Amino acid sequence: MLIITCPHCGPRPELEFRYGGEAHIARPADPSTLTDEEWGAFLYQRANPRGLHAERWRHVAGCGRFFNALRDTQSDFFAATYPAGTPRPDTDASGVKESGR
Amino acid sequence: MQKFSGLALLKRALGGHQGWQPQWRSPEPKAAYDVVIIGAGGHGLATAYYLATVHGITNVAVLEKGWLGGGNTGRNTTIVRSNYLFDESAGLYDHAVKLWEGLSQELNYNVMFSQRGVLMLAHNIHDVQSFKRHVHANRLNGVDNEWLTAEECKDFCPPLNIDAATMRYPVLGGALQRRGGTARHDAVAWGYARGADARGVDIIQNCAVTGIRRGPDGAVTGVETTKGFIGAKKIGVVAAGNTSVVMQMAGLRMPLESYPLQALVSEPIKPIFPCVVMSNTIHAYISQSDKGELVIGAGTDAYTSYSQRGGLHITTHTLDAICELFPMFRRMRMLRNWGGIVDVTPDRSPIIAKTAAPGLYVNCGWGTGGFKATPGSGHVFAHTIATDAPHPINAPFTIERFRDGFLIDEAAAAAVAH
Amino acid sequence: MSGGFRLAAGGRIDRSRPLRFTFDGRSFRGFAGDTLASALIAEGVHLVGRSFKYHRPRGIVSAGADEPNALVGVGADEAHYTPNLRATQVELHDGLVAESQNRWPSLSFDVGAVNDLAAPLLPAGFYYKTFMWPQRAWTSFYEPKIRAAAGLGRAPGAADADRYTQHFAHCEVLVIGSGPAGLAAALAAAETGVRVILCDEQPEFGGSLLAEREAVIDGLPAADWAAAAVAELETRDNVTLLTRTTAFGYFPHNLIGLAERVTDHLGVRDPRLPRERLWQVRAAEVVIAAGAIERPIVFPENDRPGVMLADAARTYSNRYAAKPGERAVVFTAGDAGYRAALDLAAAGVTIAAIADLRPAATGALPARARAAGIDVRTATTVTGTRGRLRVSQAHLAAIKPDGSVGAAEAVPCDLVLMAGGATPSVHLFSQSRGKLGWNEALKAYVPESSVERERSAGACRGVYELGAVLADGYDKGSAAAKAAGATTAAASRSFAAKALDAGSDGFIGAAPHGRNPAFAKAFVDWQNDVTAKDIKLATREGFRSIEHIKRYTTTGMATDQGKTSNMNALGIVSDALKTPVTAIGLTTFRMPYTPTTFGIFAGHSRGALFDPVRTTPIHGWAAEQGAAFEDVSLWKRAHYFPHAGEDMHAAVARECLAVRRSVGIFDASTLGKIEVVGPDAAEFMNRMYTNAWAKLGVGRLRYGVMLREDGFVTDDGVVGRLAEDRFHVTTTTGGAPRVLQMMEDYLQTEWPDLDVWLTSTTEQWAVIAVQGPNARKVLEPLVEGIDLSPAALPHMSAATGTICGVPTRLFRVSFTGELGFEVNVPADLGRVVWEAIFAAGAPYGITPYGTETMHVLRAEKGYIIVGQETDGTATPDDVGLGWAVGKAKKDFVGKRSLARASMSAPGRKQLVGLLTQDPQVVLEEGAQIVADPAAPVPMPMVGHVTSSYASAVVGRSIALAMVKGGRARIGETLYVPMPGGTIPVTVTEPVFYDPKGERLDG
């Protein structure tokens, strides 16, 4: 069970959160202008990286808010969490080390 | 290939078993191959085996970053069944079951395919409706699957608790596929490896792929590896949880997410559990191995990960369910718990297909249920690579279905895990 | 035998508390403080089990968690029976009942031992090479035979009678292990004032200190020092002390799983206590002080009862005052064997000889042994043993300078001690994903770099000398507290330790024996019967990765998970492949450290507590009326209300007719409810639902359909507009959390500019549906401030006011096709209002109905249920809801997906009705539909039955179905092939009753 730092509430156990998939995939402003190819990519294609992953979480059993996180998918350590709507921090994997040890 | 048999065993026993040869070689890679398979799990090795045996393509390398069979092949709960709802899925998985039925003889390797029956429990009226839909569809597709009352479930699996008064979610019945069962996972990988190796396939372990080279026309030309560049006319990616990472090397994004999936075994006990029981509603899968261990599958964690481990709360939830269904196992003890990485598609059905890059083929997205399909998957994927066209069985399992909306959504249709 | 091996004095047993126990039905005696193993040894019993594969007689090898052989079943009755317990860890209590395992008919005469004769035919992996013909025989013949021979203990024969409980705990420093390193670490951390938890798997703190005969710390005998340290820790209220508590798992972000055994050691149990307790400890810092495990030596016939680890023999003698034999041969690779020899000699055991693998033995301990007159033979190996149920001889032979082995000399003995060196217990460190490094001097893997916030101390990182261990522990405890934020520093304590240092010499691999290696049985993994030749066979067969070798031979896969065997297996592979150990790899250390009871993971999660039960405010009333309930997600819903003598069908027919003819009352409280409020509420609704909302008037209701972004129907429900900026949204019972999550997702992350608030109100409102031609008459006298007349409150409109004096949102809505109302009242007054309505309805024969009748009534009208007619693959048009899609809307969730060609392709399944040609035949839900009943298998299927009922009001069976191109097939005959015969059906419109909707107005 991970410890996740909600940007609004602080560190809390994973059970209070719901995972929300990859972050920074904005819904197109006008989907009707997209080709099937582009729409299919928006719906389904995911980075799924081995390494730092920008992802969404919702503090569903806390403040209820969605926020974003950078997590190393090899170690499951977080490099950063940040409010929804803010850009991905310029953190590399070395940031991840800090949160573990 | 040295033939395996009781007689061979007897003969070599006299010589203190000194006379056994390696089951496969440990070759260095050649400069180039007709086909390079990335990933020496069951599916990749089966693909190589059928390329050699069915299509006569033997200039093949199977590259493995670790040890063969060391990924999900060696980490799963070994359940084999084919009672899927949709025609496409039933066709694919039943193709596999038919191959399972003769696999030990085909490979001359005892994969211990044991048709003990797979019983899927229904706990509410929605489950009952859904399972009956499966039973009827399977019957008309020629796939065995039958409805059992709760009492019949208990007769089939005596340790099962069906006393509704003691259960939060009573057992209302179950769907039983008698041809389903389990197999010995390692033996599947080893049997295919031995068979492929004997026909000239090079299995190269400890060889990680670091890049996929494409020519000016976009077609693949080979792979960069930790053992140097290896040329390839065709490349088949069978990298399970790591497929997104490998495909990214060719510049392709996939409709995949990789999740941790855990399993565990108990200490071994004398035979007590005669079949496989799955309960998707309360998240438990259980069988007993030939060694006597209770083999128990858990659900996936909520988040994507390559860490090959999951949270304690996931294991805990699974054992809640096991103890609820089988109160006599509450004093049994967990011996070993482990995690794998499962690659999941949006519709929970696999992709076995050509890709946008000429010469690059992919077999992935098996989610939590790939082991059962191993022979069938390798068989049709070999066909796809050899002929540059899908076998009719895997023709619906394209990547493009996610663009076009022709999903094969077993999970949505049934709320049943694979 | 009657305690002939109990030493007259010494040990930590309580001689004032004698205990009786039985093993395989025979009665024995021991003392409080004994383990089952020590008590058996004191009684002269070494034969305790049979091995997994060859059924060879086996004795007690160790004194702890690493025991591979002495596995027993314990329990006086089936509801308290536990298989596979290690006798070395089972605390003795009065009346303990234990039995040996894996033998028939008896431990001393086991028919299964025939396998040992057949052993040449059963090398590693033999089962992969045979049993393949005939094909069917595997499942029917071979496999059952193999299964019967395999397995160790047996499952309990009855449901577990015990309880388990769970704790969560937080601390700054968790110290795992209470040997010298752990105690010193705990002392240091405790001094700083931070919260400390110290746990140890044993019943008593002290670890190896409890088995020391000569060691002195700060002037006290080692065990006394440990007791003093524990006493000091007990005085501090920032310290939690947990004995009988195994740290079994190291999980991400410093979550440690502890299993505490609470009652198993008690002869008479306090029923208020759980059997075991799961602790999930979140520690800021962890100090692992797990110690080290002695390695056995791999030599031929090293598995006879009486062959044991030297340190274990020392423990039995020093700690338990149980003499493990009369005459011992010690086989050692370091000074540890000498220490054991001296301790045993002091206990009166004759040391026949010490065989030392090393060419020379020069330390203080060998010198003392020689001085004591012990026959010390360096450059000597053991080439085999003799004895049937107990070792009777060891064969000693010199290792010549060229490495060859000389002639063997038989040395009579009843005890052979193995001292192969120490293996640091890096299990938890490794579980934490820390990186191990090979230490060539120690011939061991030790922690190299950490991932989690932990540190290892003492023997588990290769520090063995007592003084150094204490210093290391204190240092790590102090550093851990500091890292966890302690503001006070630990005092700078030092410990004056005086102990015989056994050094760190050791051996891995198989000892030389000069015999034909193809036939000598030198065991590596006792429990799984894996020998050195099995491992060499695996390497010959091309298995090179240690993971492959483990899986092929099963070495390290037994219930001890290779604690004693893994390093020797590695050494043998290294030797066979002529490859350094570090190039072979290491198998992964997996949770749990020792086997852990399923029950503690489940805890109280069983029966009614397995999942939360959600009930409505009217649940109690329904229960009192004798309703049958069904599970719908977490809810209990009244399924039907049978009268005496009625089955479900009769009850449902009666309930249905009552609604159609007069009036029925239904508890719809489980429907999900979400309040959508704010200036942009209508715009938000527009984007979330397929329907158009802008023009919906205040006080009006509309049926809404919600899609996923992929275009498939995910939920539906009636939505009321209560004000310009306020919507009362209802969802399906099971879908409420999903819908709210989806709404929040879009609102927060895609459209944060919209000024809208979402609130779940599912449990704020009780919802009482009153349906039927007399519904208005029932309600009219009860309401105030609401005009129920058709003109004032037409179908699909809402009003607020009071009912029975209770504020209500009253909806004119129908899921039955009859005149209907849904009365929303605050949940805590739900039952009061329900009962008032029920009383007011008495003159009309108001009838409570359940979900089954609700399903029939709506099916008669062709209303779908999301999740029954839809299955996650249906578009609105597929299920006849095309009218609910706002064509003029530019966008809504799922709209773009509906534009894909596949979503309007011909041949999609569409909602239709089915009428069986025989009106009495009720189709089975889930049954498949074909066009050509004569087609061969696999038959092309054109659809399936989604809902099917006997309709009382229509007077026949009805069914809804999803059929490919169904709307174009209306009037056609299709077929439902069932095992009992094919049922012809006619395709119809999916409305069976009142197609014009005239009854909505009563």
Side-chain angles (χ1 to χ4, degrees), chain A residues 16 25 29 35-36 41 46 50 52 56 62 69 77 98:
Chain A
E16 294 186 12
I25 300 178
T35 63
D36 280 0
R46 296 295 178 261
R50 170 195 278 276
L52 272 192
R56 308 177 331 139
F77 283 113
E98 296 301 313

Side-chain angles (χ1 to χ4, degrees), chain C residues 177-248:
Chain C
S178 71
L183 283 177
L187 286 170
E191 284 165 5
T192 70
V194 300
R195 292 171 299 172
V196 176
I197 296 177
L198 172 67
C199 69
D200 194 289
E201 64 180 353
Q202 297 224 23
E204 193 178 0
F205 289 119
S208 61
L209 299 177
L210 303 177
E212 291 292 346
R213 189 171 60 93
E214 291 189 28
V216 173
I217 305 170
D218 290 346
L220 293 172
D224 294 353
W225 179 86
V230 172
E232 181 185 331
L233 291 169
E234 277 172 343
T235 64
R236 295 184 178 274
D237 48 14
N238 60 324
V239 178
T240 303
L241 296 171
L242 296 172
T243 52
R244 299 188 176 90
T245 302
T246 305
F248 65 83

Side-chain angles (χ1 to χ4, degrees), chain C residues 16 139 389 406 454 495 608 662 759 823 847 893 980:
Chain C
S16 71
T139 306
L389 300 178
E454 52 66 44
F495 306 95
S662 179
T759 308
V823 180
T847 300
V893 172

Side-chain angles (χ1 to χ4, degrees), chain C residues 384-475:
Chain C
T385 67
R386 290 286 181 277
R388 197 173 80 84
L389 300 178
R390 177 81 185 256
V391 68
S392 62
Q393 284 180 2
H395 295 176
L396 274 54
I399 306 168
K400 296 177 188 164
D402 67 356
S404 65
V405 175
E409 176 200 345
V411 178
C413 59
D414 63 355
L415 189 62
V416 176
L417 303 186
M418 304 174 287
T423 302
S425 286
V426 295
H427 304 74
L428 287 170
F429 171 78
S430 193
Q431 281 187 35
S432 82
R433 299 291 172 101
K435 188 165 166 272
L436 294 167
W438 176 253
N439 183 315
E440 184 59 36
L442 298 175
K443 291 239 180 318
Y445 278 104
V446 291
E448 190 172 278
S449 59
S450 292
V451 171
E452 296 281 355
R453 302 183 73 94
E454 52 66 44
R455 57 208 80 212
S456 295
C460 67
R461 72 177 196 100
V463 175
Y464 301 132
E465 190 274 319
L466 182 59
V469 167
L470 288 161
D472 192 35
Y474 193 78
D475 180 46

